[in-house]
Amino acid sequence: MSTSSQFTLLRNANVFAPAALGLKNILICGKKILYIGEDLPQLSDCLTVQEIDLTGKAVLPGFIDAHTHITGGGGEAGFATRVPPVPLSHFTSAGVTSVVGLLGTDDVTRNTQSVVAQVYALREEGLSAWCYTGGYHLPPTTLTGSVKSDIVFIEPVIAVGELAISDHRSSQPTFDELIKVAAECHVARLMTGKAGVLHLHLGDGERGLSLVRRALQETEIPARTFNPTHVNRRRALFEEACELTQKGCWIDITAFETGPDGYEPDEAILHFLEQGFPTDKLTISSDGGGCLPCFNQQGELTKMDFATSKAMTAIFFQLLQQGQSIDKILPFFSQNVANLLQLPNKGQLTVNGDADLIVLNTKQDDIDHVMALGRWHKFNGEQIKKGTFEV
């Protein structure tokens, strides 16, 4: 199977854009979608066209994983526990066609330079990629000396994160320190039209989101600037985060298993829906490439695992198996993320939008094909395009 063609025509596609559009034909040229409609477009015989009859299979926009450690995470139990960079196929095999990379605990042996370099590498391999500047700690690691100028002057840098709060591994930022970073994010958004959010790592601490709630009460910084993640790790934290969506914050669920005090990812999404919170303010990400450490009360590491983007995709299929409709849950994996991060050509299937798409199998319990920017990366369940150093 060739990974590229001048034109690709997908016939009889059951399109979720994310709204359910029914059976349509989709014409793709280069990296863009040219046509979505019921009629078959008439193309000249002199054109090279790859034509595929999908026989009613569901076609979705590619997933956006907006929290992934593309350079690798870890390092919390010594240098040997540093996770290597995440290869291309770990994303596309899971249906992820856009990623946003970041630093976590280790913003010393890794830095903004290495994240930006990995963004460019993934782009060269055919993935859409961006990144955050900064990491867990203050003062933040940057390329230009400030997070605002990083966002303004470095094209792939769209926001700040993941700055840690309510966590023993954080730099214990004060209220004044937090709102100064948030203010820089907001001004950078005004100057550039980029996302300009402050992506906040939430730990297990009882303080939870108190700093964010105070910021919304005492400052003029817009609520959309504050974007907490890992909010399903404790039930009380999740309830607190859900309330913030009513004030205009987007919140992010992480697709890893939680402890006894948290909500499993699918459970968190269902709870959010049942409680009637704003469905356009919820996203899910994988924490891919990052470590999943467990600590005792003394802050000592007791065990460690590592996340992948496939965990996020598994939650999507779990929700389908539990009776949720594709169009109801799909925005959490696509359109909501694109709206938060100001990525207008991502997260939906639309004419002139990027040709990033997923084709589900007939049973809707696995992925048949994945296309990123008009090129097949996975076809008939087989990974046909891999990263430069993948075997």
Side-chain angles (χ1 to χ4, degrees), residues 185-197 222 224-225 342:
C185 291
H186 172 56
V187 173
R189 176 170 66 248
L190 296 178
M191 294 177 67
T192 63
K194 294 182 180 180
V197 298
R224 66 162 291 139
T225 305
Q342 304 284 81

Side-chain angles (χ1 to χ4, degrees), residues 112-378:
T112 303
Q113 289 93 323
S114 60
V115 178
V116 171
Q118 187 64 9
V119 164
Y120 287 133
L122 289 170
R123 288 181 177 185
E124 289 178 3
E125 293 177 334
L127 203 68
S128 296
W130 296 269
C131 64
Y132 301 97
T133 187
Y136 263 33
H137 306 112
L138 295 177
T141 175
T142 68
L143 260 171
T144 64
S146 80
V147 295
K148 180 168 64 177
S149 59
D150 273 11
I151 297 171
V152 170
F153 290 114
I154 304 171
E155 180 270 323
V157 177
I158 60 174
V160 176
E162 57 175 316
L163 179 63
I165 60 174
S166 300
D167 193 301
H168 66 92
R169 295 165 293 175
S170 78
S171 54
Q172 307 303 319
T174 65
F175 175 71
D176 287 344
E177 288 173 330
L178 183 74
I179 62 174
K180 283 181 179 179
V181 177
E184 288 202 41
C185 291
H186 172 56
V187 173
R189 176 170 66 248
L190 296 178
M191 294 177 67
T192 63
K194 294 182 180 180
V197 298
L198 178 55
H199 189 60
L200 292 166
H201 164 102
L202 267 295
D204 293 321
E206 294 296 328
R207 289 177 295 171
L209 286 158
S210 59
L211 288 174
V212 176
R213 288 189 283 106
R214 183 180 170 189
L216 296 181
Q217 292 170 355
E218 298 183 17
T219 78
E220 302 78 26
I221 301 170
R224 66 162 291 139
T225 305
F226 300 97
N227 177 223
T229 188
H230 311 322
V231 294
N232 53 311
R233 69 188 315 149
R234 289 193 304 114
R235 288 177 179 256
L237 174 63
F238 189 66
E239 302 299 343
E240 188 181 10
C242 289
E243 294 294 334
L244 288 181
T245 64
Q246 296 180 319
K247 298 181 182 296
C249 293
W250 269 260
I251 64 172
D252 186 55
I253 289 170
T254 308
F256 52 60
E257 294 183 357
T258 63
D261 187 39
Y263 282 109
E264 296 302 320
D266 58 328
E267 184 185 12
I269 291 174
L270 294 175
H271 179 72
F272 187 90
L273 292 171
E274 290 166 359
Q275 296 301 309
F277 291 107
T279 56
D280 63 337
K281 296 296 188 291
L282 182 70
T283 63
I284 184 169
S285 62
S286 74
D287 208 3
C291 66
L292 305 179
C294 293
F295 298 94
N296 61 23
Q297 292 183 343
Q298 288 71 46
E300 299 166 333
L301 186 70
T302 57
K303 67 176 181 178
M304 178 184 291
D305 199 356
F306 301 96
T308 71
S309 290
K310 289 183 178 179
M312 186 176 79
T313 310
I315 300 304
F316 177 80
F317 287 118
Q318 284 181 26
L319 290 166
L320 293 187
Q321 292 163 8
Q322 293 169 21
Q324 298 298 310
S325 62
I326 291 176
D327 57 327
K328 189 173 185 178
I329 63 170
L330 181 56
F332 306 141
F333 300 78
S334 57
Q335 189 174 46
N336 289 1
V337 193
N339 288 343
L340 169 66
L341 298 181
Q342 304 284 81
L343 305 175
N345 294 316
K346 301 298 183 183
Q348 56 186 327
L349 299 180
T350 184
V351 173
N352 296 323
D354 288 344
D356 298 334
L357 55 85
I358 298 168
V359 180
L360 303 185
N361 65 9
T362 304
K363 296 181 180 179
Q364 296 186 357
D365 63 0
D366 203 355
I367 294 173
D368 269 359
H369 319 314
V370 176
M371 174 180 282
L373 295 173
R375 300 191 66 182
W376 295 113
H377 285 240
K378 185 175 184 177

Side-chain angles (χ1 to χ4, degrees), residues 73-83 106 109-110 291 301 304 306:
E76 292 167 313
F79 293 110
T81 64
R82 295 168 75 251
V83 183
D106 181 8
T109 71
R110 296 180 172 95
C291 66
L301 186 70
M304 178 184 291
F306 301 96

